[in-house]
Amino acid sequence: MNEQIPVLREVDHGTARLMPDVDRERAWLLTVDGAPQSYVDLDAPDHLEFEYARRLGHVADTAATGGAPLDVLHLGGGALSLPRYVAATRPGSWQDVVEADGGLVALVAEHLPLPDGSGVTVHTADARRWLEAAPAASADLIVGDVFGGSRVPAHLTSLTYAREIRRVLRPEGIYAANLADGAPFAFLRSQLATFAAVFPELALIAEPAVLRGRRFGNAVLVASGVPFDLPGLARRAAGDAFPARVEHGEALARLIGDAAPVADAEAVASPVPPEGAFGIG
């Protein structure tokens, strides 16, 4: 096995570090300012290391039958873990990735290049501005995984943003967003209320310990204008190495409670994670 050397570089929004995985010859962990961002195994693009990434992968797996190709818009890029996964599991997919940090885009292109013919195009731009300029009904799947440090930016949490997501999705399209919160879930509840005001079909994928308020963690919001494969999603989440639950219907309504949709003027970033919440090593 060839010994890989860590890479440290200042990028637009912090200090990025690529660290090799000693157990996998061409696998790397990307952190920005110490916060884990992506894990990529260049020899196994269908391997998703992080729990939240696997849950986003479950959504992609159930978004269409039989491995059919998808048109996917990724808001937030990191090291392109999920675009690589979709390219490997759904050949022929066409994917646009929007990443605001041009320095990070350059670092990933240099050290973790996409294979030729991947069908993935990376754009350096603000996610909200790109979304607002995107053609209507142009995506089968939109993935929201934008973090400024360890927080979802405020301008990607509002009712206006949710309406733009629905405009860009095709009628049977699905939106999946990686969010992070802890009890009493003020941010998460507001996000669920916001998307419930725009999409009739909603679900939440999270580890039971997070849902019970025992720890701060990730939760994946899933929204669509039409019913999607909830049983398939639930089976995949339950069968994961770190099992998760899929909440929907009455259970989700109870979680939302009296939370209200968020207007642009009231939008706030997701909460600061407790120290060590997303630590590594």
Side-chain angles (χ1 to χ4, degrees), residues 55-133:
R55 287 162 196 160
L56 292 171
H58 298 331
V59 178
D61 290 342
T62 56
T65 58
L70 297 172
D71 291 331
V72 187
L73 172 59
H74 300 264
L75 304 177
L80 311 176
S81 301
L82 197 66
R84 297 172 200 267
Y85 177 85
V86 172
T89 59
R90 292 185 177 275
S93 293
W94 183 254
Q95 302 184 79
D96 284 300
V97 181
V98 183
E99 170 59 56
D101 192 320
L104 184 59
V105 169
L107 174 69
V108 171
E110 179 182 347
H111 291 279
L112 305 174
L114 290 164
D116 291 340
S118 67
V120 179
T121 305
V122 182
H123 312 270
T124 301
D126 174 78
R128 172 82 174 256
R129 287 199 289 272
W130 180 275
L131 184 70
E132 290 169 347

Side-chain angles (χ1 to χ4, degrees), residues 55-56 59-60 141-145 174-178 220-223:
R55 287 162 196 160
L56 292 171
V59 178
L141 173 65
I142 300 177
V143 178
D145 190 17
I174 297 175
Y175 175 63
N178 177 31
V220 170
L221 179 154
V222 187

Side-chain angles (χ1 to χ4, degrees), residues 202-206 211 230 245-249 251-252 255:
L202 204 66
L204 186 73
I205 313 172
L211 290 171
L230 275 169
R245 286 211 315 260
V246 177
E247 297 283 15
H248 60 97
L252 205 56
L255 178 58

Side-chain angles (χ1 to χ4, degrees), residues 10-16 32-33 99-104 125-126 147-149:
E10 294 300 317
V11 294
D12 297 359
H13 298 151
T15 301
V32 177
D33 290 340
E99 170 59 56
D101 192 320
L104 184 59
D126 174 78
F147 279 75

Side-chain angles (χ1 to χ4, degrees), residues 2 6 10 34 36-37 96 112 117 163 174 185 215 227 229 238 245 266-267:
N2 296 324
E10 294 300 317
Q37 297 289 325
D96 284 300
L112 305 174
R163 288 172 177 150
I174 297 175
F185 300 118
R215 69 175 183 85
D229 186 5
R245 286 211 315 260
E266 302 160 352

Side-chain angles (χ1 to χ4, degrees), residues 18 48 54 78 112 153 164 177 194 206:
L18 282 172
L48 295 172
R54 291 200 299 276
L112 305 174
E164 284 295 310
T194 297

